[in-house]
Amino acid sequence: MLREKLKNYNVILASGSPRRQQFFKDLDIDFTIQLKEVEEIYPKELKGNEITDYLANLKAAAFDDLSEKDLLITSDTIVWLNNKALGKPKDKVDAFNMLKAMSGKKHEVITSISIKSKYFQKIVNDTTIVTFNNLSNEEINYYIDNYKPYDKAGAYGIQEWIGFIAINNLEGSYFNVVGLPVHKLYQELINL
């Protein structure tokens, strides 16, 4: 359906995430990947989805040369825990500390999507509440050593081993936690 709907657009996904790229393939969207280097720094007073909205917009702003047929899609995901954003871990210690902090608690996974053309821009976001079981240090180290989650917000992928053993409850979209609220993206694109 989306392939036909978007046939007059040159859809650009500005994401190096293999998970987001796979979602686009699974939604049957013809797209190209274009990446521009953006320093992902946001004002410290922003909270929750204000951060992801800001960063999705920042990534979109790097593309200031869109043609009439271009449709640019950018996205950003954070884990929100104890009133603090957890992005991608810097190293093993950072990944361990993030997972330990989430152990036995609820956190939010927030993703924003920017849809931008030469003539308009719309930003939508989605939040999923995830509850983790208590994790032992051994389980956390096993996951980090075997899955190297350094490219994932909050240092985990729900679709990996840690998701199988750690997640006790999920309120909202599973796909949002993977990295893209595909149901919201679909609705926005089908209504263009």
Side-chain angles (χ1 to χ4, degrees), residues 1-6 23-24 26-29 71 73 113 115 122 124 175 180-192:
M1 286 183 66
L2 282 177
R3 183 182 296 265
E4 180 63 23
K5 179 74 178 180
L6 301 173
F23 283 140
F24 271 59
D26 292 345
L27 283 170
D28 199 26
I29 298 172
L71 187 66
I73 300 172
I113 304 168
I115 302 166
K122 181 159 190 187
V124 294
F175 299 108
L180 197 69
V182 287
H183 63 292
K184 289 212 169 172
L185 176 64
Y186 176 82
Q187 285 304 322
E188 294 300 327
L189 295 178
I190 209 74
N191 291 320
L192 282 178

Side-chain angles (χ1 to χ4, degrees), residues 2-70:
L2 282 177
R3 183 182 296 265
E4 180 63 23
K5 179 74 178 180
L6 301 173
K7 68 182 179 190
N8 295 322
Y9 288 103
N10 170 32
V11 179
I12 301 164
L13 173 61
S15 175
S17 163
R19 294 161 301 281
R20 289 185 184 137
Q21 293 168 18
Q22 188 60 51
F23 283 140
F24 271 59
K25 290 175 190 161
D26 292 345
L27 283 170
D28 199 26
I29 298 172
D30 276 329
F31 67 100
T32 59
I33 298 164
Q34 290 184 33
L35 303 175
K36 293 201 179 183
E37 204 59 40
V38 174
E39 203 170 352
E40 297 183 28
I41 297 174
Y42 56 87
K44 294 300 171 211
E45 68 273 9
L46 298 183
K47 305 257 185 247
N49 69 289
E50 294 171 344
I51 295 169
T52 53
D53 286 359
Y54 181 90
L55 292 174
N57 182 53
L58 187 68
K59 292 173 185 178
F63 292 79
D64 54 3
D65 54 351
L66 293 177
S67 76
E68 300 218 351
K69 290 194 164 210
D70 288 343

Side-chain angles (χ1 to χ4, degrees), residues 3 9 17 30 34 36 53 59 66 77 87 104 111-112 121 136-137 145 155 163 168 173-174:
R3 183 182 296 265
Y9 288 103
S17 163
D30 276 329
Q34 290 184 33
K36 293 201 179 183
D53 286 359
K59 292 173 185 178
L66 293 177
T77 300
T111 304
S112 294
Q121 181 178 14
S136 69
N137 291 352
D145 290 343
N168 178 309
S173 168
Y174 166 85

